[in-house]
Amino acid sequence: MLNIGCHLSISNGFEAIGKQALEIGANTFQFFTRNPRGGSARKIEQSDVNALKHLMSENGFSQILAHAPYTMNLCSAKVETREFALNTLKDDLLRMEYLPGNLYNFHPGSHTEQGVEKGIEQIVSALNEAMFPDMNTTVLLETMAGKGSEVGSKFEELSGIIDKVEYNDKIGVCLDTCHVFDAGYDIVNHLDEELDEFDKIIGIDRLKAVHLNDSMNYLGCHKDRHQKIGEGAIGLEAFKRIINHPKLSNLPFFLETPNDIDGYAYEIKLLKSIVD
Ligand code: FE
Ligand code: FE
Ligand code: ZN
């Protein structure tokens, strides 16, 4: 069975987002832990969380994915930016314990002229400060397109972080199809080889979620512009191979395509129709 959902707004609370996911044929969803541009997070009501947990178990939901704000840069050259990011990460991971057993994804960050090595060092040190031994969340590094000074567009950079994370069984990767394609991994013509490469460098068991996005641009462009499924340079045939691939088919898939809610419902239906 395909585990599929999309990015949804949490503004009406947890139960509401679960109901909205059901309405569009999804059995999972992604949400921002707080305003994507940063700022404070909404108060969590235990009854609302319980209602979502009930809805999820009644309807066979897979793991859900919380996404950190884009402004959370753990490897900025600016110390204030790094401190703000670390506080956000700490707070988010504590809040995730309301929904134990789920996934938390973040963009590793942009090293802003400091160099990749320094960036990796700062990301590792923040993770080792924010993660805690009895946490019930798996933290995911997102594969990046390599725009500007982004860390994480090469599998080696991700494994460089993972290898040094202390609570090593609680860290994994979320593969974004648009990002890896834009980073230069040819998942259209060489999916098997690119997944073998992922396995060799990171380990395929680290892969816990997939962001399903088509790309507006060409292979290796380092742009990060998402397109609707089947309308970009990746194309529907490649998505059919991706969602049916034995190394991927059991993972939760999340759409982050430029769509309104009806567009997401359509893409979910489309993807379900091409499951082998
Ligand atoms: Fe992302
Ligand atoms: Fe993504
Ligand atoms: Zn993106």
Side-chain angles (χ1 to χ4, degrees), residues 107 142 144 176 178-179 213 224-226 256:
H107 295 180
E142 183 166 351
M144 300 311 292
D176 186 308
C178 169
H179 297 178
N213 302 306
D224 189 4
R225 299 279 309 279
H226 301 187
E256 301 176 306

Side-chain angles (χ1 to χ4, degrees), residues 17 35 37 47 60 63 104 111 135 179 198 256 269:
I17 203 175
N35 184 303
R37 284 168 298 279
S47 60
Q63 285 178 307
Y104 176 81
H111 63 70
M135 62 186 280
H179 297 178
F198 186 103
E256 301 176 306
K269 208 168 148 201

Side-chain angles (χ1 to χ4, degrees), residues 11-72:
S11 54
N12 293 318
F14 284 107
E15 187 183 17
I17 203 175
K19 283 183 175 165
Q20 191 176 30
L22 279 179
E23 275 166 25
I24 59 171
N27 59 357
T28 184
F29 59 87
Q30 171 178 276
F31 64 100
F32 280 126
T33 55
R34 59 191 72 221
N35 184 303
R37 284 168 298 279
S40 62
R42 54 180 285 129
K43 190 179 178 313
I44 295 176
E45 301 289 347
Q46 190 62 59
S47 60
D48 186 32
V49 170
N50 292 345
L52 173 65
K53 283 185 187 165
H54 182 72
L55 179 151
M56 285 175 64
S57 72
E58 290 284 286
N59 294 282
F61 271 44
S62 73
Q63 285 178 307
I64 55 172
L65 182 59
H67 197 306
Y70 296 139
T71 47
M72 190 181 98

Side-chain angles (χ1 to χ4, degrees), residues 124 127-128 131 161-169 171:
V124 167
L127 284 168
N128 286 339
M131 292 170 76
I161 298 168
I162 291 169
D163 290 349
K164 295 186 213 104
V165 170
E166 189 176 346
Y167 303 114
N168 203 255
D169 59 323
I171 187 109

